[in-house]
Amino acid sequence: MPATSEIILSATTHPGDSTVETVVGEKYKGDGYYGRSDGLHTVQINVTGVAGTVKIQGTLATDPADADWFDIVGAEYDSQTAGKNGAFVYNFTGNFVWVRASVTYTDGTINSILLNH
């Protein structure tokens, strides 16, 4: 089956006042939704001047509540270790039914976050 790529978070810019802002994206179908057994996912996080973190979250619930979401280990961008500009790619495995992005930042622009599975 061919891979599917989609934008899971479009461009979002911090207001520039150094306050901590959190943006949580909508849920998108992961491998588990389609019943695929390999569970392979890739995200590409494209940022400009970002000071903060982007966490990719997953859930195994078919109709998730807020408490059903968890951070996926190995799929986290942190500007202090990765840098503030560029495209950052993370691979992770899991039969997640839904996947979303959670951004906490104090400056910069998230240009896009792409999911491929």
Side-chain angles (χ1 to χ4, degrees):
M1 175 161 283
T4 303
S5 185
E6 57 192 325
I7 297 172
I8 64 170
L9 190 66
S10 297
T12 181
T13 301
H14 191 276
D17 57 6
S18 296
T19 59
V20 176
E21 184 169 319
T22 299
V23 176
V24 178
E26 297 293 320
K27 63 182 183 181
Y28 286 86
K29 297 171 184 171
D31 251 14
Y33 184 91
Y34 300 104
R36 297 182 185 143
S37 60
D38 65 6
L40 297 174
H41 298 80
T42 301
V43 291
Q44 179 177 327
I45 301 169
N46 303 300
V47 298
T48 303
V50 167
T53 61
V54 177
K55 295 180 180 183
I56 304 301
Q57 299 179 323
T59 183
L60 303 177
T62 55
D63 187 19
D66 285 340
D68 295 323
W69 293 95
F70 52 88
D71 297 341
I72 299 171
V73 176
E76 178 179 322
Y77 158 84
D78 184 343
S79 64
Q80 291 192 9
T81 56
K84 294 184 176 187
N85 297 295
F88 303 90
V89 177
Y90 303 92
N91 295 306
F92 57 95
T93 303
N95 289 321
F96 307 111
V97 177
W98 298 101
V99 177
R100 71 180 184 184
S102 176
V103 179
T104 304
Y105 63 148
T106 58
D107 196 18
T109 299
I110 306 294
N111 299 313
S112 65
I113 300 176
L114 301 164
L115 172 68
N116 191 19
H117 58 88

